[in-house]
Amino acid sequence: MNLRQLQALARQHGTPLVVVDHAVIRRNFAEFRRHFPKVQPYYAVKANPEPEIVRTLFRAGASFDVASLPEFMLVYENIKSWPAPAQQDFIWDKIIYANPTKPRQTLEALDRYKPLVTFDNLTELEKIHAYAPHAGVVVRLRVPNTGSMVELSSKFGCDPAEAVDLMLAATRLGLAVEGVSFHVGSQCCNFENYVQSLNMASAVMREARSRGQPMKILDIGGGFPAPYHQDVPPIATLARKINAEIDRLFPPDVEIIAEPGRFMVASAAWAVSRIIGKARRDGKPCYYIDDSVYHTFSGIIFDHCKYPLKSFRRGRKEICAVFGQTCDGLDVLSLSEELPELKLDDLVYAENIGAYGSASATWFNGFPPAKVVHVNL
Ligand SMILES: *Cc1c(COP(=O)(O)O)cnc(C)c1O
């Protein structure tokens, strides 16, 4: 995607606009496969649930991690080559429901698909047994999330010391126990989290196997960092660590899967917005754009992410504030952006906004989410 194309698309479709480049998604997927040849990626749909993205990744060979019944159905319905009648192996090979807490009604609706689901406590296990007795289960461990941009360990995962007892309980209830999972936290640049988690998972698996519990799947979760800026360590460094630990710690019959969300889509989208207002407050230039933190830029709030705004215009840059279109005081994109002097109707853009942005956009203030355009489908 070059800037000329981006501007042309904004002229054609108007603003606010999100452009998703599927060539970049395919490149990210291929890069993941190249670095982790023994790991099957289950794309975490919540990062960006556009059906076009699901189809592109399916054609590239991906499987999917879903967080809800609607996401499960979205994947199910968009996989056109789904064999009929659906083969059980194919469902498990293609979808894991990795949200550890599931509403009863969701379990009831999913049971006919015999889904693969995660859990991390006995209450959930009993619920799965009662409402989705045909599910296969994967236990989620609580692992270190130190230094990850989004921390998950206070909400999810069982104490590793309880994991084997939970698996034995699942077996006693007649559920198919498939394996172990973890999540090191999103945008994890502290790769020791993965190393420690792999060691914990291997200890759990070894003990489970020694107590007669077959273990097929190791799910190493998400967290693979997107290259937002130059300080993000390269995925090749992470791959060397993970691959060495996998070879050392797990027997070759263990099937290894991962749930990358952000890594697949973050760098594949651009947002283009328009300057709709301009003011000077205490000497600082302030710009108002036709998008907001309640819309495409929701990752600023929910994802703890920053998206530097850039101008198509050249010129001497000065520090300015950029605000969203809503009348809420929280709706601040930046208080210290560096932009040249802009006029009304000028366009600005942000890169690397494909993950957790549009995905959590709302209709706040009556403004609809930005239009999404897919290129290189
Ligand atoms: C959100 C989530 C993911 C995706 O995480 P990324 O950091 O975007 O790769 C994967 N697995 C689970 C269980 C999640 O909740």
Side-chain angles (χ1 to χ4, degrees):
M1 178 65 43
N2 64 46
L3 295 187
R4 204 180 292 272
Q5 280 173 292
L6 200 56
Q7 257 177 314
L9 286 166
R11 266 196 300 274
Q12 184 186 344
H13 296 280
T15 58
L17 184 69
V18 172
V19 179
V20 179
D21 186 344
H22 286 245
V24 178
I25 296 175
R26 287 190 294 271
R27 205 191 307 142
N28 291 344
F29 182 82
E31 192 185 354
F32 190 93
R33 290 314 292 264
R34 184 160 47 80
H35 286 302
F36 302 100
K38 295 181 183 163
V39 179
Q40 170 64 9
Y42 283 58
Y43 168 61
V45 173
K46 74 168 189 278
N48 194 324
E50 293 280 323
E52 290 84 352
I53 295 178
V54 168
R55 289 195 287 268
T56 289
L57 283 167
F58 176 69
R59 281 196 295 269
S63 303
F64 299 90
D65 156 18
V66 300
S68 65
L69 180 60
E71 279 193 3
F72 184 95
M73 297 316 297
L74 170 77
V75 171
Y76 191 86
E77 262 141 31
N78 274 284
I79 297 183
K80 289 291 185 240
S81 56
W82 194 268
Q87 302 280 316
Q88 184 58 52
D89 284 353
F90 187 76
I91 291 185
W92 286 13
D93 283 348
K94 283 294 160 193
I95 309 181
I96 184 167
Y97 188 118
N99 185 341
T101 304
K102 294 157 283 295
R104 169 166 59 78
Q105 292 81 353
T106 296
L107 290 169
E108 283 171 342
L110 286 177
D111 191 48
R112 57 186 285 244
Y113 301 102
K114 303 184 181 172
L116 186 60
V117 304
T118 65
F119 75 102
D120 64 9
N121 65 75
L122 199 54
T123 304
E124 188 70 15
L125 195 57
E126 285 166 351
K127 205 166 57 181
I128 295 169
H129 169 246
Y131 300 109
H134 299 98
V137 294
V138 170
V139 69
R140 166 102 169 245
L141 306 179
R142 182 165 71 230
V143 296
N145 278 207
T146 315
S148 295
M149 191 165 85
V150 182
E151 171 336 301
L152 301 167
S153 60
S154 47
K155 184 168 173 187
F156 298 116
C158 70
D159 190 322
E162 298 167 6
V164 174
D165 284 344
L166 281 173
M167 287 189 243
L168 295 172
T171 300
R172 275 197 303 276
L173 289 171
L175 291 163
V177 179
E178 292 298 308
V180 173
S181 75
F182 58 77
H183 196 307
V184 295
S186 201
Q187 186 71 5
C188 171
C189 295
N190 172 16
F191 296 161
E192 285 308 302
N193 286 346
Y194 283 100
V195 174
Q196 289 182 30
S197 305
L198 287 166
N199 280 272
M200 288 160 83
S202 107
V204 168
M205 272 202 166
R206 213 170 299 136
E207 192 192 334
R209 282 191 167 184
S210 79
R211 292 171 69 175
Q213 181 74 64
M215 288 275 111
K216 279 193 280 202
I217 297 174
L218 169 68
D219 175 357
I220 65 174
F224 304 88
Y228 289 112
H229 47 77
Q230 284 167 351
D231 300 340
V232 175
I235 204 78
T237 307
L238 177 58
R240 271 199 304 278
K241 289 181 195 270
I242 289 183
N243 293 336
E245 289 300 80
I246 284 176
D247 289 343
R248 191 172 70 82
L249 295 169
F250 297 92
D253 63 328
V254 173
E255 202 183 308
I256 300 166
I257 72 175
E259 300 163 353
R262 184 189 303 284
F263 181 81
M264 295 293 172
V265 291
S267 59
W270 287 256
V272 188
S273 340
R274 183 179 306 273
I275 305 294
I276 56 167
K278 196 178 157 175
R280 194 169 270 273
R281 298 178 185 287
D282 297 329
K284 191 201 268 186
C286 299
Y287 297 107
Y288 299 79
I289 64 168
D290 62 353
D291 209 327
S292 87
V293 304
Y294 289 93
H295 296 84
T296 310
F297 292 86
S298 67
I300 292 175
I301 308 289
F302 295 125
D303 197 33
H304 316 283
C305 197
K306 289 202 172 69
Y307 310 98
L309 281 173
K310 299 187 174 171
S311 168
F312 293 100
R313 188 187 278 287
R314 294 221 181 107
R316 196 178 60 82
K317 290 181 178 171
E318 55 184 341
I319 300 290
C320 58
V322 181
F323 300 121
Q325 64 197 342
T326 73
C327 60
D328 186 8
L330 179 72
D331 189 6
V332 178
L333 282 87
S334 172
L335 288 175
S336 62
E337 207 61 47
E338 283 198 72
L339 289 166
E341 189 179 354
L342 299 172
K343 299 193 178 64
L344 286 186
D345 279 327
D346 275 358
L347 300 180
V348 289
Y349 68 97
E351 301 167 311
N352 297 317
I353 200 161
Y356 305 114
S358 316
S360 38
T362 71
W363 279 73
F364 187 52
N365 272 215
F367 295 113
K371 180 172 182 181
V372 180
V373 170
H374 297 270
V375 299
N376 296 318
L377 265 173

